[in-house]
Amino acid sequence: MRRRGYANGVEDLELLSGKEALSLEPELNAAAALWSPSTGIVDSHYLMFCLQGELENHGGMVACQAGVSKLEATDKGILVRASGESFLTRQVVNATGLHAAALAQSIDGISLDALPKASFAKGNYFKLAGKAPFSRLIYPAPVPGGLGTHLTIDLGGQARFGPDVEWLSGMDENFDFEVDPARGDGFYEAIRRYWPALPNNALLPDYSGIRPKITWPDDREVDFEISTPDKHGIPGFYSLLGIESPGLTASLAIAEELTSLVH
């Protein structure tokens, strides 16, 4: 993990012994730790508000409630049909989140072998009643399918634990985002591996979200995929597939990478 961090420009990561980790977070149970001093938190909604403002200041437009029903590749560009209207454009960036893989697969003539399979996992969160004894974000070692049940602290000081991994059979518009209190049993077990002193009855169901997971025919898992014309064969069409964590914190880097590819 430290080598991967260095390769991505995060050069302040430090390996800590268990004793050194406890000197920073006395309630932590750890044999060793990887400390990231430059890790921080942001107000995600305000970040998106600011990005929208920058887009509009540069002549862009955000059109809400204008769902795309069809994309068609033509010899003059890509025909976009949305909310009863249609227009022709030279380039399309498909950044439709949970629906990105399905939208990409719907274009006639696209190479389906060049697109990953999509599946979906619900991630549930529980919040802590009271103040957490930690001042830093705590991540256990990653587990298959996710980052494990980690501790995050928001700008208001509220501590939350999650997400877990609840695999779904599919997605529909009537999905139930309620958090089942019974899933708390697994949270207590996971959290007490690194915080043994977690009190009983301290966790309250909070919120959930859906993350798109992508795999390739050889069952290879990747964080996400930037699908480009040279891969799938549709000129001017770019897809952001499987954008889950760290898609939000890496959003500006993803945009920079995409900008270098679009031409």
Side-chain angles (χ1 to χ4, degrees):
M1 290 175 65
R2 185 173 67 165
R3 285 196 299 269
R4 180 174 293 183
Y6 283 165
N8 284 282
V10 186
E11 299 178 349
D12 60 351
L13 299 174
E14 295 183 37
L15 286 173
L16 303 179
S17 66
K19 183 177 180 179
E20 290 171 327
L22 264 64
S23 70
L24 296 176
E25 298 288 358
E27 292 286 325
L28 185 65
N29 174 46
L34 183 64
W35 182 33
S36 174
S38 59
T39 287
I41 57 177
V42 300
D43 183 330
S44 57
H45 291 83
Y46 188 64
L47 170 62
M48 289 182 277
F49 178 76
C50 291
L51 292 176
Q52 179 179 344
E54 289 204 20
L55 172 69
E56 293 173 342
N57 286 340
H58 286 80
M61 179 186 299
V62 175
C64 299
Q65 303 301 319
V68 174
S69 58
K70 182 69 175 176
L71 296 177
E72 297 179 23
T74 74
D75 56 1
K76 296 181 179 180
I78 299 175
L79 184 65
V80 181
R81 300 187 188 277
S83 297
E85 304 290 338
S86 62
F87 59 91
L88 194 66
T89 181
R90 187 168 57 89
Q91 295 171 328
V92 168
V93 175
N94 169 22
T96 55
L98 298 176
H99 307 283
L103 185 61
Q105 292 165 359
S106 71
I107 302 179
D108 291 338
I110 199 166
S111 172
L112 296 179
D113 292 338
L115 297 175
K117 298 183 299 181
S119 55
F120 303 96
K122 179 181 179 181
N124 299 280
Y125 282 83
F126 282 74
K127 63 182 177 182
L128 181 68
K131 183 175 175 58
F134 301 101
S135 59
R136 298 166 180 83
L137 311 186
I138 307 295
Y139 284 72
V143 297
L147 296 176
T149 304
H150 54 265
L151 164 68
T152 60
I153 303 173
D154 67 18
L155 292 169
Q158 175 66 61
R160 290 182 175 85
F161 295 93
D164 62 355
V165 179
E166 182 181 350
W167 290 105
L168 306 176
S169 58
M171 275 296 300
D172 61 57
E173 298 303 322
N174 299 316
F175 182 79
D176 183 5
F177 283 93
E178 289 294 320
V179 176
D180 182 359
R183 299 190 71 84
D185 293 341
F187 275 73
Y188 282 101
E189 179 182 357
I191 295 166
R192 283 174 174 155
R193 293 173 185 163
Y194 59 85
W195 182 24
L198 171 65
N200 291 328
N201 303 315
L203 299 180
L204 303 173
D206 196 18
Y207 69 94
S208 72
I210 310 298
R211 52 195 190 271
K213 310 286 292 186
I214 56 173
T215 57
W216 292 91
D218 58 4
D219 290 328
R220 170 172 47 95
E221 287 192 12
V222 295
D223 282 337
F224 41 74
E225 169 80 5
I226 300 178
S227 182
T228 56
D230 62 313
K231 297 178 181 179
H232 55 62
I234 303 296
F237 185 60
Y238 301 82
S239 283
L240 305 182
L241 306 176
I243 303 294
E244 51 163 335
S245 182
L248 176 61
T249 47
S251 58
L252 298 182
I254 293 172
E256 185 176 358
E257 174 70 12
L258 182 65
T259 301
S260 71
L261 299 172
V262 174
H263 53 77

